[in-house]
Amino acid sequence: MAGDDIKAALFLCALQNAVKHGGVPQAGAVIGMVMGAHPELRSRAKEVSGAAKDAIADVAALSPEERVSKLQSLSPEMFAALHEKHEHKKVLPDLEGAEHGVVMRFAPNPSGPLHIGHARAAALNDAYVKQYGGRYILRIEDTDPKRVDPEAYDMVKEDIKWLGLGITETVTQSERFPLYYDLCKQLIERGGAYVCTCDNEQFKALKDAKKACPCRDQSVETALSLWEKMLDGGFKEGEASVRVKTDLLHPDPAMRDFPIFRILDSPRHPLMEARVYPLMNFSVVADDHLLGVTHVIRGKDHIANTRRQRYIYDHFGWKVPVYRHYGRMGIEGVVLSTSQMHAGIDEGKYTGWDDIHLGTLRALARRGISPEAVKNAMIAIGIGDVDISFSWDNLYAGNKKIIDPVANRYFFVPDPVEAKVEGAPHKTAHAMLHPSDNARGSRTLPFNGTCLLPKSELVPGTEMVRLKDLFNVKIAWNGDTPAFSYGGDSLADARAAKARIIQWLPAQETVSCTLLTQDGDMNGACEPAVKSQNGKVVQFERIGFVKIDSVDENGVKAYFTHK
């Protein structure tokens, strides 16, 4: 987009904002509107921010009457939108200091693919970048080789692409070790850190007693020499670490002179050669500062880390980002532990990272959950600090709003029973592909005397059922054996008999189908037209929404999404 086009877009958004709210538009809101409509501009945030000031000044110079008139003439659509009634949407609370845009980061560890728990931070950060404009950094935090799965690097990026995050740049921490080493040297030179060679038990005893270890008073020169010795391989694993100087009298022992670098000989890092590794609290501070992160949104479990990290910010004299800590989100019904998932896959308990019993994003995708539904659910939960339980029902309700208008309807008959209907006319049913979209057309289901019915509907004592889009069927019972006969076309008769309306299939034209659910597999048959829906979400009438996973010579395999 050319510079003049950017200015025009900013002026229109500022104009609409001023007409809607009165007064002078806020730069963050205007920039957020433009960035949301034109995500390709995120990499030009500085240019957009500068142009926004001019656009807002131009709007501020107009009278209220001139603003209305100008908006009507320049964009009748935007003016009309101000007067439309919209469904109320939950809005995230404002962020302190975000008026001029934000720099946010999503920082997963590559120990496996992303799961539903990761989606909260990912979606909230994404929403705020869209709201205020700015940069959104994906930071792969792989400084602990014990928690690195080499395959996860690509899986994380694939999951983020599926989720549709507006990432503007990606950094990998294992590529930044020279930066961390240099900053550690600077911290030692500032007198903010030292190299500790104490035995772990000895240090713990002193720390718990609120006493300094002997290494704390070493000179800067000595500390630098020991630091170089660490880097040169002069210490074995566990013999030395770098500790940051904090408050030895702090009531929380975990805050007292915590480590920021350690030596690890195994496992080896898959991407680089290293023995001295930064610990999370140091690498996070270093990158948040170097990358210009302005706001950090993360869980309450990081509150202690936030307090630790402030010591490092203070030693360097760096500006501290704005932190928001949200409450814990309990998630039941799926496996989220990466180690448990790894073990289950290795043992053959799970078919892979997208097994529907797992809580990974790729498992949700395989089941037919929309990425928009996931993001909407997380934004609705928000950033409150109260602990909550994640509601699958809310996710499913949101997903249904997205997939229901586009999902074709078909019949699937689980555990089918062949029924010969005595006295029934041969006729063809015309069933709508979508009940609310006549233009989509219908599918034809020819009845030639016999059909397949779901066994679960043939309960002894049932006297009538209605075959959807066809006719009524009377059932006579000889013990547990049913006999079927034509019951007429009248829907009123079926209602009077309180007959259930059930799905069915022509006995001669079906395709074998297996529906996989979290509670077990359902084997049956479906309409041949389902084969044309491979990779799509459809609705199996009276069963629920399903994702067609594969089609081959053996038939159709589908995954249950939700009702």
Side-chain angles (χ1 to χ4, degrees), residues 356 514-522 549 557-561:
I356 58 176
T514 299
L515 178 60
L516 294 90
T517 80
Q518 291 179 306
D519 297 323
D521 298 349
M522 300 170 66
D549 185 75
K557 182 171 74 172
Y559 284 97
F560 182 73
T561 307

Side-chain angles (χ1 to χ4, degrees), residues 193-224:
Y194 60 96
V195 176
C196 179
T197 57
C198 295
D199 174 84
N200 285 336
E201 291 301 319
Q202 175 190 5
F203 181 86
K204 184 179 185 303
L206 291 169
K207 179 186 69 173
D208 290 345
K210 300 181 180 180
K211 295 180 179 179
C213 83
C215 306
R216 198 177 202 262
D217 292 331
Q218 65 194 200
S219 67
V220 169
E221 290 74 20
T222 299
L224 288 174

